[in-house]
Amino acid sequence: MSNKVWLVGAGPGDPELLTLKAVRALGEADVVMIDDLVNPIILEHCPQARVIAVGKRGGCRSTPQDFIQRLMLRYARQGKCVVRLKGGDPCIFGRGTEEYNWLLAHGITAEIVNGITAGLAGATNCAIPLTLRGVARGVSLVTAHTQDGSSLNWQGLADSGTTLVVYMGVAKLADIRQQLIDAGMRAEMPVAMIENASLPEQREQRSTLTKLLDDAREFKLKSPAILIIGEVVSESAAQLDRLTA
Ligand code: SAH
């Protein structure tokens, strides 16, 4: 009887990027509820558990949030140890805290376990430093996708001097490009598109703000993908050129 819910970040896809704590929680689980962006290979760490798929991909058949939460609650109240596996980090565009607070409010012990978020994994895998001395003093993780149709502060982002990492942006490329150009970002600003970060199917394409739409079309960019927008994208390649010149 462990009566606990672990909200676990499964990382970006590469099973070796799981944390030891995630592996421990999986090993203790009676029930594992798995999102669709999670690599099912990691279920090898919980052969004893009952596995329930509770995907919520945009536009596809989806499991309502309310149903997922009630299911976690039901199993926890039965005395089961529940692991809720989420892609990347549970608290980066992942509703981790929302579920955590809801469980606590219902008297259930919960714990959140970090995962490596897709944006950081993709950048590092492609040797793009999201922060770089003299080039970028910070990073903004943003989503172009909103439920209420509200807009990001593109002007603020364009002026921030930070690298932008865009999640859920594949269907919004035209809007992202236009908003940043309208906000005064230079048209030649380098962009990296990284699809399936950290998985064997990972693909990467470098482009610029101006050419983003054409390059994405030619590359046949598909979700899940992140965009990295900023000088750091070309700076790492330039550094290598200088070193090998
Ligand atoms: N909690 C997750 C993000 C969920 S939102 C995390 O921390 O990574 C879903 C979005 O994440 C996708 O639309 C895509 O933009 C991004 N994403 C998730 N996995 C990815 C992967 N392996 N490669 C590239 N992008 C990914």
Side-chain angles (χ1 to χ4, degrees):
M1 290 286 273
S2 47
N3 198 277
K4 174 170 179 176
V5 178
W6 296 83
L7 300 163
V8 176
D14 178 348
E16 288 190 312
L17 291 178
L18 269 183
T19 63
L20 294 174
K21 200 162 188 177
V23 171
R24 177 161 70 84
L26 283 168
E28 289 175 13
D30 299 306
V31 179
V32 172
M33 295 169 61
I34 179 168
D35 270 356
D36 10 45
L37 275 179
V38 173
N39 187 346
I41 286 177
I42 70 175
L43 295 174
E44 72 182 26
H45 296 293
C46 55
Q48 78 291 348
R50 171 167 181 199
V51 176
I52 305 171
V54 288
K56 286 205 283 124
R57 288 301 290 280
C60 304
R61 193 168 57 88
S62 68
T63 317
Q65 180 67 20
D66 182 57
F67 175 80
I68 297 173
Q69 292 182 184
R70 290 191 178 282
L71 206 57
M72 287 193 284
L73 187 62
R74 194 169 82 206
Y75 283 118
R77 285 191 171 153
Q78 287 171 6
K80 303 250 190 312
C81 174
V82 182
V83 167
R84 167 92 165 102
L85 262 184
K86 289 168 169 282
D89 187 279
C91 295
I92 301 290
F93 307 121
R95 296 183 154 200
T97 318
E98 190 179 313
E99 293 180 9
Y100 176 82
N101 286 333
W102 190 85
L103 289 163
L104 252 51
H106 286 79
I108 302 296
T109 311
E111 183 168 342
I112 311 182
V113 180
N114 292 87
I116 299 182
T117 189
L120 305 193
T124 299
N125 250 295
C126 295
I128 298 171
L130 293 177
T131 64
L132 189 62
R133 230 172 345 161
V135 178
R137 291 176 149 201
V139 190
S140 304
L141 306 184
V142 301
T143 176
H145 179 89
T146 54
Q147 260 176 357
D148 59 2
S150 63
S151 179
L152 279 165
N153 177 358
W154 293 104
Q155 189 68 55
L157 290 170
D159 292 342
S160 67
T162 66
T163 306
L164 299 188
V165 180
V166 185
Y167 289 66
M168 293 173 268
V170 175
K172 302 259 177 180
L173 290 184
D175 190 37
I176 295 164
R177 175 185 175 279
Q178 198 55 50
Q179 297 280 4
L180 287 172
I181 287 179
D182 288 352
M185 188 174 267
R186 71 185 182 90
E188 294 310 314
M189 182 63 86
V191 180
M193 310 172 225
I194 306 172
E195 187 182 289
N196 283 314
S198 87
L199 288 161
E201 312 84 272
Q202 173 172 307
R203 296 196 307 147
E204 183 205 357
Q205 174 68 44
R206 308 272 170 127
S207 180
T208 59
L209 217 43
T210 336
K211 294 194 289 167
L212 183 60
L213 299 185
D214 289 341
D215 286 348
R217 201 173 304 120
E218 198 170 313
F219 183 65
K220 297 191 169 49
L221 180 71
K222 288 191 301 292
S223 182
I226 48 135
L227 305 176
I228 302 178
I229 306 173
E231 305 290 354
V232 291
V233 171
S234 56
E235 197 45 45
S236 60
Q239 197 177 61
L240 182 62
D241 287 347
R242 284 195 296 275
L243 287 168
T244 52

